[in-house]
C-alpha cells in the first residue's frame, strides 16, 4: 500500500523498517534497535530521500506489518 513517510530519521531505503513518526499519519525509518521491537508498522518497498523540490515528506509503497 502507499504510505506517507517523513525524513525525520534520515532517508528511507528499500527494505528499511518503518515506525510511527511525530508527524501524525506518517511513518519514518526505525533506527533505534533497542526500541523497535513491537513498534514496526511496515517495511519499505521503495526509497525516499526527499521530493523533487526538497520536500521532507512523501509517499512510498510499503508492506504493512500486522502484529
Amino acid at each position: 500500500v502507499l504510505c506517507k513517510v517523513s525524513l525525520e530519521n534520515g532517508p528511507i531505503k528499500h527494505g528499511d523498517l518503518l515506525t510511527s513518526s511525530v508527524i501524525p499519519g506518517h511513518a519514518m525509518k526505525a533506527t533505534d534497535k533497542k526500541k523497535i521491537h513491537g513498534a514496526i508498522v511496515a517495511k519499505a518497498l521503495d526509497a525516499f530521500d526527499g521530493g523533487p523540490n526538497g520536500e521532507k515528506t512523501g509517499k512510498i509503497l510499503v508492506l504493512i506489518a500486522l502484529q
Side-chain angles (χ1 to χ4, degrees), residues 4 8 10 16-18 23 28 33 38 48 50 55 59 61 66:
K4 294 179 185 177
E8 186 177 336
D16 281 344
L17 298 176
L18 305 176
I23 301 171
M28 65 180 180
K33 302 291 182 192
F48 182 75
E55 296 93 352
K59 293 180 184 179
L61 284 175
L66 299 175

Side-chain angles (χ1 to χ4, degrees), residues 9 29-37:
N9 271 351
K29 179 167 66 171
T31 56
D32 189 341
K33 302 291 182 192
K34 294 178 183 177
K35 294 182 180 178
I36 65 172
H37 181 71

Side-chain angles (χ1 to χ4, degrees), residues 1 3 12-19 40-46 60-65:
V1 297
C3 178
I12 298 169
K13 297 180 291 192
H14 175 84
D16 281 344
L17 298 176
L18 305 176
T19 190
I40 300 302
V41 295
K43 186 173 193 174
L45 298 178
D46 285 332
I60 63 170
L61 284 175
V62 300
L63 176 66
I64 300 295

Side-chain angles (χ1 to χ4, degrees), residues 5-8 10-11 23 26 48-59:
V5 292
S6 162
L7 292 178
E8 186 177 336
I23 301 171
H26 287 70
F48 182 75
D49 62 358
N53 297 318
E55 296 93 352
K56 303 244 186 253
T57 61
K59 293 180 184 179

